[in-house]
Amino acid sequence: MTALNGTFNPDVVTSISLGSLAPTTDAIGRCLLIVPKATNGLNSQRTASYLTYAEALAAKTAGYISAATLKGIGVVFSQLNVPAQGVLVGNVDLVGSETYAEALLAIIAEDPDFFLVVINSRSSTDIEGVSAQVEILNDKAAAADAGVPYKLCFFEAQSADTKIGRAHV
């Protein structure tokens, strides 16, 4: 066997540049606002998607959404990390006796592409109904059976005794 002679430099130079990374919304989809159909006709649709605040303002001017809904949409668009897919607004037909939980399922059937659910009701019944649906969506097998991804839901309750559901994105 022939011996190989060589030189070896024990110094290794590594350059690491640290800098602030720009915020990204790649992993964040749309949030869903569920609002009363009586004041949010959504141009006779179950859902409407707004990619910009200007689009939502135009919908308000046309009478498709209420001032309160526009204000909620404004909160989303005022954040540092605005979801790249905008905001999804879905309505609940409270006059027709539809529950928020039923509306959530109907919205998912029409457009399941959202990661967060926000409802405008402080009723314990509405909160618990949507919470129960979200908990089903938090169960991997149940979500797979329903053909929908996990969802996250936020509630503001009037009573500290109200059960609040939790789900993972």
Side-chain angles (χ1 to χ4, degrees), residues 82-144:
V82 174
Q85 297 177 24
V87 178
L88 180 65
V89 177
N91 57 29
V92 54
D93 188 2
L94 298 173
V95 175
S97 300
E98 182 179 46
T99 67
Y100 278 83
E102 291 167 339
L104 175 60
L105 292 177
I107 291 164
I108 289 171
E110 183 173 304
D111 190 345
D113 188 20
F114 59 91
F115 81 103
L116 166 73
V117 180
V118 179
I119 67 173
N120 70 339
S121 174
R122 290 184 174 187
S123 158
S124 294
T125 301
D126 295 335
I127 292 169
E128 289 175 7
V130 172
S131 176
Q133 264 332 123
V134 169
E135 287 194 24
I136 289 170
L137 299 175
N138 187 39
D139 179 293
K140 187 173 184 177

Side-chain angles (χ1 to χ4, degrees), residues 20-117:
S20 60
L21 298 175
T24 179
T25 58
D26 292 344
I28 301 175
R30 295 180 293 181
C31 69
L32 167 65
L33 303 178
I34 303 179
V35 295
K37 183 177 182 177
T39 55
N40 298 276
L42 304 180
N43 197 20
S44 300
Q45 302 296 313
R46 168 61 87 170
T47 64
S49 183
Y50 303 104
L51 295 176
T52 65
Y53 182 78
E55 286 181 6
L57 182 58
K60 162 64 175 87
T61 302
Y64 300 150
I65 62 173
S66 69
T69 298
L70 180 63
K71 186 175 181 180
I73 292 169
V75 169
V76 174
F77 284 115
S78 69
Q79 303 304 308
L80 178 62
N81 289 333
V82 174
Q85 297 177 24
V87 178
L88 180 65
V89 177
N91 57 29
V92 54
D93 188 2
L94 298 173
V95 175
S97 300
E98 182 179 46
T99 67
Y100 278 83
E102 291 167 339
L104 175 60
L105 292 177
I107 291 164
I108 289 171
E110 183 173 304
D111 190 345
D113 188 20
F114 59 91
F115 81 103
L116 166 73
V117 180

